[in-house]
Amino acid sequence: MRNSRRDFIKSAGAATLLLSSAPAVFSGVFTSKYKEKLGVALVGLGYYSTDLLAPALQLTQYCELKGIVTGSPWKIPVWQKKYGIADKNVYNYETMHQIANNPDIDVIYIVLPTGLHSKYSIIAANAGKHVWCEKPMARTAAECEAIIAACNENKVRLSIGYRMQHEPNTRTIIEFAKQNAYGHISRVKAEAGYYDGRSDHWKQKKAMGGGAMYDMGVYPLNAARYATQMEPIAVIARHETNRPEIYYEVDETTYFTLEFPHGVVADCATSLGKGMNELRVDSSKGWYELIPFQAYSGIQGRTSDGKRLNESIANQQARQMDNDALAIMNKTNVIVPGEEGLRDLRIVEAVYKSASLGQRVTL
């Protein structure tokens, strides 16, 4: 009973291995006869759930924290005291399927290491609950397809936690591309990384879905796609490792170039060994950029014609979860469906293939 979440996840992990055309962005409008608020259960009580999602759920209008799933019994009384979670809404990984019988919980949010996303997303879908899954969606495209199939079979909604697509300055970048606001896009630069000083963490384990490309690489990858509103046709990539004693199973830094139709190129980079945080788009009639383009707050940028991109919101995660809750309530398209996560994972697999072979890979 005193096993740590890390120990559980290691053992479980070893055994288990389009943007919407017209998304409904948060407007504070609720038109459904559904519950006034959807009950959310967080699966995995690590840093992201503890420090970001649980506090954000206190700020949401259309959803609320109602349940938890954890492999660390010592965390249960702490969470119950802080958030008033009822005993009947507390589960572990072996009993999680019983949420099917709990009307308090409408949505199950998977906040586990990437290598466990598929297994527990499918359990959530089979329980008949809507599924929110953190990014990256899974370790492989096949796992993504399995999640989508389970959600379709159980007639539940699926959304992937790409919070940046809910962020207002990022939405402006997306609209620039849709409206061809600065002419023909020629080149994109997208980079996301930080220095991770830990030496024994699941992000350094291949079976758990560790590595820079999985952890941070989906930020520039997804950004290149939403900033161009196109799908890449080829990729060339390479890895770089400065700490081989730590990063011997997974990539510490990855550089990859995406080739899009019409000669558009995106130069991308990601790292767990160095800081980088920039999105820039060069077009025939000017340029625009966000620096930082991915952060929990403070997203800002500028354009070649003097516009400032600095609209702020109180909390990105709260905006994301309210948007997804409203989509469920109003039966509208989610901003980031499972198919979006699947597209990214197909490219991630091609990035690794290209780096391994040392050659260009077509998509």
Side-chain angles (χ1 to χ4, degrees):
M1 293 296 292
R2 298 296 298 176
N3 284 348
S4 69
R5 175 174 171 269
R6 180 192 297 178
D7 291 337
F8 170 81
I9 286 173
K10 283 183 178 178
S11 61
T16 311
L17 284 183
L18 261 171
L19 288 165
S20 170
S21 60
V25 181
F26 180 84
S27 62
V29 176
F30 169 47
T31 60
S32 173
K33 293 183 180 180
Y34 213 102
K35 290 180 175 180
E36 290 185 2
K37 289 190 174 186
L38 301 184
V40 177
L42 296 176
V43 181
L45 305 184
Y47 162 75
Y48 198 68
S49 284
T50 301
D51 288 16
L52 294 162
L53 291 178
L57 279 162
Q58 311 314 302
L59 305 175
T60 53
Q61 286 184 257
Y62 300 107
C63 47
E64 58 185 336
L65 178 59
K66 297 292 286 188
I68 54 174
V69 179
T70 180
S72 302
W74 65 269
K75 294 183 180 180
I76 295 171
V78 176
W79 279 68
Q80 286 189 302
K81 181 179 180 180
K82 188 169 185 177
Y83 297 111
I85 297 171
D87 288 343
K88 64 186 179 67
N89 294 347
V90 175
Y91 300 85
N92 59 40
Y93 296 101
E94 289 77 18
T95 63
M96 177 181 159
H97 64 281
Q98 295 174 8
I99 294 179
N101 304 315
N102 191 334
D104 287 353
I105 296 170
D106 306 286
V107 178
I108 297 178
Y109 198 153
I110 308 302
V111 202
L112 292 166
T114 304
L116 299 176
H117 284 184
S118 177
K119 176 179 179 179
Y120 291 98
S121 291
I122 291 171
I123 291 174
N126 287 339
K129 305 299 181 178
H130 302 293
V131 181
W132 296 346
C133 179
E134 255 313 300
K135 58 87 197 146
M137 186 175 173
R139 280 194 68 231
T140 67
E143 288 180 350
C144 294
E145 290 169 345
I147 296 172
I148 293 170
C151 290
N152 288 340
E153 181 178 344
N154 289 283
K155 296 180 173 58
V156 297
R157 306 296 295 278
L158 170 64
S159 183
I160 311 304
Y162 284 89
R163 73 181 193 284
M164 301 317 304
Q165 291 200 35
H166 300 259
E167 193 275 329
N169 300 295
T170 306
R171 298 298 309 173
T172 298
I173 293 289
I174 292 171
E175 287 304 311
F176 284 167
K178 287 182 177 180
Q179 298 172 13
N180 199 31
Y182 286 81
H184 172 71
I185 293 173
S186 57
R187 203 164 197 96
V188 174
K189 178 183 180 182
E191 299 181 345
Y194 67 98
Y195 181 83
D196 192 333
R198 294 171 293 193
S199 59
D200 184 22
H201 190 263
W202 69 262
K203 290 182 181 181
Q204 290 135 14
K205 308 298 181 185
K206 184 176 181 179
M208 300 309 297
M213 191 64 213
Y214 280 108
D215 184 49
M216 296 297 291
V218 289
Y219 282 112
L221 167 54
N222 198 251
R225 292 179 53 241
Y226 64 62
T228 61
Q229 289 294 291
M230 292 189 289
E231 296 299 331
I233 56 176
V235 61
I236 186 165
R238 65 180 177 87
H239 299 315
E240 179 183 282
T241 301
N242 293 322
R243 293 175 289 169
E245 71 281 4
I246 300 174
Y247 290 93
Y248 53 88
E249 287 189 12
V250 298
D251 54 310
E252 181 180 10
T253 299
T254 296
Y255 299 94
F256 58 103
T257 299
L258 300 173
E259 300 174 16
F260 292 89
H262 313 299
V264 180
V265 173
D267 298 310
C268 304
T270 185
S271 182
L272 295 174
K274 60 183 77 174
M276 51 182 77
N277 198 337
E278 177 182 359
L279 173 61
R280 180 184 172 99
V281 180
D282 290 311
S283 302
S284 59
K285 297 180 182 179
W287 54 265
Y288 43 94
E289 64 184 14
L290 292 176
I291 304 175
F293 90 91
Q294 63 80 29
Y296 295 140
S297 62
I299 304 302
Q300 59 183 326
R302 56 182 182 149
T303 69
S304 56
D305 55 351
K307 295 185 179 71
R308 306 299 298 184
L309 306 176
N310 56 6
E311 182 180 347
S312 63
I313 55 174
N315 186 283
Q316 291 176 7
Q317 287 82 3
R319 172 67 62 89
Q320 170 198 324
M321 291 187 284
D322 267 339
N323 279 346
D324 288 339
L326 279 171
I328 292 170
M329 291 172 165
N330 294 330
K331 297 182 179 179
T332 56
N333 294 331
V334 297
I335 291 177
V336 190
E339 289 75 12
E340 177 81 345
L342 170 59
R343 291 186 184 102
D344 273 357
L345 257 295
R346 285 173 175 158
I347 301 166
V348 168
E349 291 183 326
V351 167
Y352 280 113
K353 182 178 179 180
S354 173
S356 175
L357 297 175
Q359 64 186 43
R360 178 178 180 269
V361 172
T362 58
L363 295 162

